[in-house]
Amino acid sequence: MKKLLLLVFFLACIVNVFAQTQKDTILNTFNKDYVLNIKKAQSAITIDGVIDEPDWMAAQKADDFHKVLPIDTGLAIQPSEVLMTYDDKAFYLAFTFYDTVQGKRIMESFRRDFVFGNNDNFLVFFDTFLDQTNGFTFGLSASGAKWDGVMHGGAGSNLNWDCKWESKVKHYENKWIGEMKIPFKSIRYPSGTKMWNANFSRLDLKTNEKSAWAPVPRQFPTSSLAYAGVLKFADPLPKSKIMFSLIPYLFGSFSNDYEAGTGNVWKKDFGFDAKVGLSTSMNLDLTYNPDFAQVEVDEQVTNIDRFELYFPEKRQFFLENSDLFADFGSKTATPFFSRRIGLDAPVLAGARLSGKIGNDWRIGFMNMTTQKTSNFLARNFTVASIQKKVFARSNVGVILVNKEYIDQPVDTSMFNRVVGVDYNLASANNIWSGKFYYHRSLQPDNPGDQYSQGALLSYSTKNIQAIIGQRSVGENFNAETGYITRTGYHHISPEITYLFVPNKQIVSHGLTLETNFYFDPDFNRIDQENAATYQFEFQDRSNIKIGYNSVFIKLQRDFDPTHISANYLPAGTEYNFGHAIVSYTSTRKTMFNWAAEAAKGTFYNGDIQYISGRFGYRYQPYINLSLNFNYTDINLPQPFEHAKLWLVGPKLDVTFTEKLYWSTFVQYNEQIDNMNINSRLQWRYQPVSDIYIVYTDNYIPGSWNSRNRALVLKITYWLN
């Protein structure tokens, strides 16, 4: 442990020395000439969707929005105007979106954190610390549905984060108007600041046009903080007060695991989450006895891969500043994956400290304890990270992950530790990005290659997108709290896309070539996949892709490609196979929309064909019907049986009002011989305070006997 602490200290010193050489660098947004001057309000602003207060009349307009999609040249067809003002407690936005083209405004539902591409909407992105990496996003759809989230990585948004704010949307024949009031205490920013970076975005599906106030190249999302404009406030913003919010909850449940023979089990309990703002930029999150029953169920997939499937984190406690913990390493070799905590045993309590120190430093610390169960001992999970901004938008970070068993004798097998350092590259104009990292697990009884190392460099312009990636994971690298698909390999993956942008009925088209090489520790080839894809994007934003994948695999372990057989292909055998693939995604502006993908070819020593897709229909903004499906036909030689696997997932989503939602998701999965029903009713009776009723049942297809079922009632209340 002493060596580990010395290593962390040494790396932090290196980062600090390197940072000192960059302290005089002037950091600014690419669109620094797009400036909106914001006056302080002299009277009250009423959030009613009517822009008639004197302060709105006196406010400077952000207008002349620029096209981003389908092309990024010229001004938007649909005129837009945005206004801002503020007082001592909140800041206010008002927007007017004019319609020069007749047609029905697209609004999917009233549900919070709507799907961006399925709604006419307004979004705003705030870079409050001017680091062009982290921030906050808010928005409204045409139905009045809210959007709020925390931003990370320069453009990404995590929408599972919620805060209290007010809004109102009103519709007129030739325009729609929205007003928003966001309390300063809901977000974080430096004390005494007079300047933020920000951008305003509009999506109008009638014209298939996405536009932004500060121009953004079409290859980047409008959320790219590198291309934000500048907000200048007339006076320093009010000093942030210490923020404290408490979210107690009560829950009761009934369950019966028929397969395990538990009988009826009744449970009632309580818990709480708390959020303490230690400063304007540092948060302490606490949780006791959390219950995550209301979290949306994962969407199942048919698994024909050799490695563990990835499902994203959806639990809110783990989300704010999640990049400080979860963005180390690569997608398939990360040292910390929060879903390792609390899904196999209940969480007893946890604490998380995260935020900024000054302008350039960020820190994260998380400690979680899970309860002892019949299958697992009590465990404690600790993650600590520190990140230093360097150059224009890049950063260097160090992470330590520790998992250990509680109240157990000291033994080398009773803990797992990983330490690592990452450098994340992001150029000022976002054209160059990349990552370089080195991680090491610390297991004294497991000597050998305990490392994970990788590099990625990406170049992105309107016509050319090129990526080169490299990754190596030692045979004995062990990150039990991470997501590591496999160990003992070297990987290299070049990819290049060239797009033609004629801006006609076909907006863009082009070819993508990609290769993935995998080698064993002695650099013998064990896997290779070559893919060639040609894509077309049309004016209505529908697209079609046609391609071919060829694969070589030398199995390192016995493997059943169907995942349902007692038979397997033996380790050491080699296979060459390939398949043609075509996919299509329809426009989202029609009430009925769909997407599908089909493939046919060889698979290991047999054949495969599959078709998957999604159908959707909306009765806006109240009802959304969707159907996800996959049919996979795998025909391998004897002794394997001919596998025909269906996965069907119909979903009904009803938003009665802006506060009352009901969704039911049914998933029939032949591969795991199960049908799951998850039905959830949510009533937001106060801002960010909810009552949930969740019913879950799992059945055995054929006999339709219940495997297990549960009914949960949960009540939360936000106090702040």
Side-chain angles (χ1 to χ4, degrees):
M1 189 63 185
K2 291 181 179 178
K3 292 181 179 179
L4 174 61
L5 294 175
L6 286 172
L7 175 61
V8 173
F9 178 74
F10 176 69
L11 291 172
C13 290
I14 291 176
V15 173
N16 184 58
V17 170
F18 182 67
Q20 292 301 313
T21 66
Q22 302 297 323
K23 63 182 180 180
D24 296 326
T25 301
I26 297 175
L27 307 181
N28 216 329
T29 177
F30 188 82
N31 285 322
K32 60 185 178 182
D33 295 330
Y34 287 80
V35 178
L36 183 65
N37 295 292
I38 304 172
K39 300 177 182 179
K40 191 169 184 178
Q42 302 302 308
S43 58
I45 301 289
T46 302
I47 305 302
D48 56 6
V50 179
I51 307 176
D52 57 357
E53 288 86 355
D55 290 298
W56 288 140
M57 299 299 105
Q60 180 183 347
K61 293 179 180 178
D63 52 11
D64 290 336
F65 276 39
H66 298 261
K67 291 181 180 179
V68 179
L69 290 175
I71 57 168
D72 57 4
T73 56
L75 297 179
I77 297 172
Q78 299 280 69
S80 305
E81 296 176 353
V82 178
L83 308 171
M84 281 191 68
T85 187
Y86 67 105
D87 57 28
D88 290 334
K89 293 185 177 181
F91 60 97
Y92 304 80
L93 293 97
F95 63 86
T96 303
F97 286 172
Y98 295 95
D99 288 329
T100 59
V101 176
Q102 295 298 314
K104 198 171 187 177
R105 296 175 188 129
I106 306 303
M107 52 187 84
E108 185 178 36
S109 73
F110 295 119
R111 186 174 293 278
R112 196 183 189 108
D113 299 327
F114 49 84
V115 177
F116 168 76
N118 293 355
N119 295 268
D120 289 353
N121 62 65
F122 163 76
L123 299 182
V124 57
F125 309 101
F126 292 117
D127 176 9
T128 59
F129 285 93
L130 308 179
D131 63 10
Q132 301 174 292
T133 304
N134 305 283
F136 300 89
T137 177
F138 297 88
L140 291 171
S141 74
S143 70
K146 291 182 177 180
W147 160 299
D148 51 8
V150 287
M151 300 187 65
H152 57 85
S157 300
N158 195 319
L159 300 180
N160 290 291
W161 177 86
D162 290 336
C163 73
K164 288 184 177 181
W165 54 287
E166 300 176 40
S167 63
K168 183 67 176 179
V169 166
K170 292 198 75 170
H171 288 268
Y172 302 87
E173 183 177 355
N174 66 334
K175 63 186 177 183
W176 60 287
I177 293 175
E179 279 189 296
M180 306 162 66
K181 175 185 177 182
I182 303 170
F184 282 118
K185 66 180 181 181
S186 293
I187 65 171
R188 279 153 299 288
Y189 56 90
S191 294
T193 186
K194 293 182 65 175
M195 186 170 68
W196 294 351
N197 291 338
N199 209 351
F200 310 116
S201 170
R202 177 182 183 179
L203 180 63
D204 184 81
L205 291 173
K206 294 185 300 299
T207 56
N208 300 296
E209 180 179 72
K210 182 167 74 168
S211 57
W213 166 56
V216 180
R218 74 184 304 273
Q219 69 268 24
F220 303 126
T222 49
S223 59
S224 296
L225 296 179
Y227 287 90
V230 179
L231 306 181
K232 288 188 176 180
F233 298 92
D235 300 308
L237 296 180
K239 183 178 180 180
S240 290
K241 298 178 181 178
I242 295 298
M243 181 182 69
F244 176 77
S245 62
L246 180 66
I247 311 173
Y249 40 83
L250 300 171
F251 57 89
S253 67
F254 159 82
S255 63
N256 192 326
D257 189 332
Y258 296 99
E259 289 187 319
T262 60
N264 295 338
V265 177
W266 299 86
K267 181 181 178 182
K268 60 181 183 296
D269 214 333
F270 73 94
F272 69 83
D273 289 336
K275 187 180 291 290
V276 184
L278 301 179
S279 70
T280 59
S281 57
M282 187 68 64
N283 259 2
L284 174 64
D285 294 278
L286 304 170
T287 188
Y288 169 74
N289 199 23
D291 173 78
F292 304 111
Q294 82 279 8
V295 175
E296 189 176 78
V297 68
D298 290 318
E299 185 175 314
Q300 299 176 23
V301 297
T302 299
N303 183 14
I304 58 174
D305 202 351
R306 290 170 288 161
F307 309 108
E308 178 188 10
L309 298 176
Y310 178 87
F311 294 99
E313 178 62 84
K314 299 180 181 180
R315 297 170 294 177
Q316 186 162 348
F317 180 83
F318 295 97
L319 298 178
E320 188 171 357
N321 288 318
S322 61
D323 63 300
L324 280 169
F325 308 99
D327 283 2
F328 283 81
S330 63
K331 185 176 181 180
T332 58
T334 181
F336 178 70
F337 181 42
S338 58
R339 284 184 65 114
R340 300 290 185 216
I341 304 174
L343 290 189
D344 56 10
V347 174
L348 176 63
R352 187 186 61 180
L353 178 71
S354 63
K356 293 177 71 75
I357 300 177
N359 290 327
D360 296 336
W361 290 90
R362 299 174 70 214
I363 64 168
F365 178 84
M366 182 188 303
N367 186 273
M368 306 287 289
T369 298
T370 58
Q371 300 177 33
K372 182 179 179 180
T373 68
S374 57
N375 295 321
F376 296 96
L377 297 171
R379 289 160 291 172
N380 180 266
F381 301 83
T382 300
V383 192
S385 70
I386 185 169
Q387 188 183 90
K388 173 67 173 69
K389 183 177 179 180
V390 295
F391 303 119
R393 298 175 56 242
S394 305
N395 62 69
V396 178
V398 177
I399 189 171
L400 167 67
V401 183
N402 181 66
K403 169 191 172 183
E404 60 184 46
Y405 293 86
I406 300 174
D407 297 329
Q408 299 298 314
V410 176
D411 186 274
T412 56
S413 66
M414 304 304 283
F415 72 86
N416 177 250
R417 296 182 183 126
V418 178
V419 65
V421 59
D422 284 38
Y423 171 68
N424 296 294
L425 167 69
S427 66
N429 59 6
N430 219 35
I431 289 177
W432 289 97
S433 61
K435 173 185 278 286
F436 307 89
Y437 67 87
Y438 182 84
H439 304 156
R440 193 162 189 88
S441 59
L442 306 174
Q443 298 284 143
D445 62 341
N446 189 26
D449 296 329
Q450 296 190 53
Y451 73 93
S452 173
Q453 170 271 325
L456 179 75
L457 188 62
S458 173
Y459 174 78
S460 183
T461 65
K462 181 187 299 187
N463 301 106
I464 299 174
Q465 289 90 50
I467 303 172
I468 179 71
Q470 176 273 327
R471 184 169 65 251
S472 295
V473 180
E475 289 184 285
N476 293 319
F477 181 71
N478 184 19
E480 294 178 7
T481 318
Y483 178 74
I484 311 295
T485 54
R486 56 174 164 174
T487 59
Y489 70 92
H490 305 286
H491 171 243
I492 187 167
S493 56
E495 176 183 344
I496 187 166
T497 298
Y498 188 88
L499 287 178
F500 302 92
V501 189
N503 187 29
K504 296 181 179 178
Q505 184 61 34
I506 297 177
V507 175
S508 68
H509 62 93
L511 177 67
T512 298
L513 299 174
E514 178 183 4
T515 298
N516 282 275
F517 294 100
Y518 288 86
F519 304 92
D520 68 14
D522 296 322
F523 288 93
N524 300 304
R525 186 180 64 145
I526 52 176
D527 285 4
Q528 181 178 343
E529 180 177 358
N530 304 313
T533 306
Y534 207 93
Q535 58 183 317
F536 300 87
E537 182 181 349
F538 302 95
Q539 281 281 356
D540 63 1
R541 301 190 70 188
S542 62
N543 66 76
I544 188 170
K545 297 179 181 179
I546 303 170
Y548 186 82
N549 291 1
S550 65
V551 181
F552 164 80
I553 288 178
K554 181 179 181 179
L555 289 175
Q556 304 302 293
R557 296 179 178 84
D558 297 342
F559 176 57
D560 168 26
T562 68
H563 290 270
I564 62 171
S565 172
N567 303 297
Y568 58 84
L569 302 175
T573 52
E574 298 182 2
Y575 304 91
N576 287 280
F577 55 92
H579 59 270
I581 188 168
V582 60
S583 67
Y584 175 78
T585 302
S586 74
T587 181
R588 293 299 183 93
K589 68 179 179 180
T590 55
M591 299 300 106
F592 174 77
N593 53 81
W594 63 282
E597 179 177 286
K600 183 177 178 61
T602 53
F603 188 59
Y604 290 91
N605 58 344
D607 298 311
I608 190 172
Q609 54 187 346
Y610 71 80
I611 182 169
S612 63
R614 174 197 55 79
F615 297 108
Y617 180 81
R618 65 178 180 270
Y619 178 74
Q620 61 182 36
Y622 301 103
I623 298 175
N624 272 277
L625 293 168
S626 64
L627 175 68
N628 298 322
F629 69 93
N630 179 282
Y631 172 71
T632 301
D633 183 337
I634 301 175
N635 190 9
L636 303 178
Q638 293 292 333
F640 290 93
E641 296 183 8
H642 191 170
K644 298 180 179 181
L645 306 174
W646 277 100
L647 174 61
V648 182
K651 185 176 183 179
L652 170 64
D653 192 6
V654 182
T655 57
F656 300 99
T657 69
E658 296 177 7
K659 299 181 178 180
L660 185 61
Y661 320 126
W662 174 53
S663 64
T664 296
F665 192 14
V666 179
Q667 298 187 86
Y668 170 75
N669 190 334
E670 278 193 331
Q671 189 175 46
I672 61 174
D673 197 29
N674 188 71
M675 187 177 81
N676 171 259
I677 299 174
N678 181 269
S679 187
R680 182 178 60 169
L681 181 69
Q682 177 184 358
W683 174 31
R684 179 146 287 187
Y685 62 95
Q686 293 286 339
V688 204
S689 303
D690 301 282
I691 295 176
Y692 298 95
I693 300 175
V694 183
Y695 172 74
T696 303
D697 210 335
N698 288 285
Y699 292 94
I700 301 172
S703 67
W704 302 112
N705 293 325
S706 179
R707 296 178 185 271
N708 53 73
R709 63 169 54 113
L711 179 67
V712 176
L713 170 66
K714 181 175 181 180
I715 303 172
T716 72
Y717 188 76
W718 187 305
L719 297 165
N720 72 332

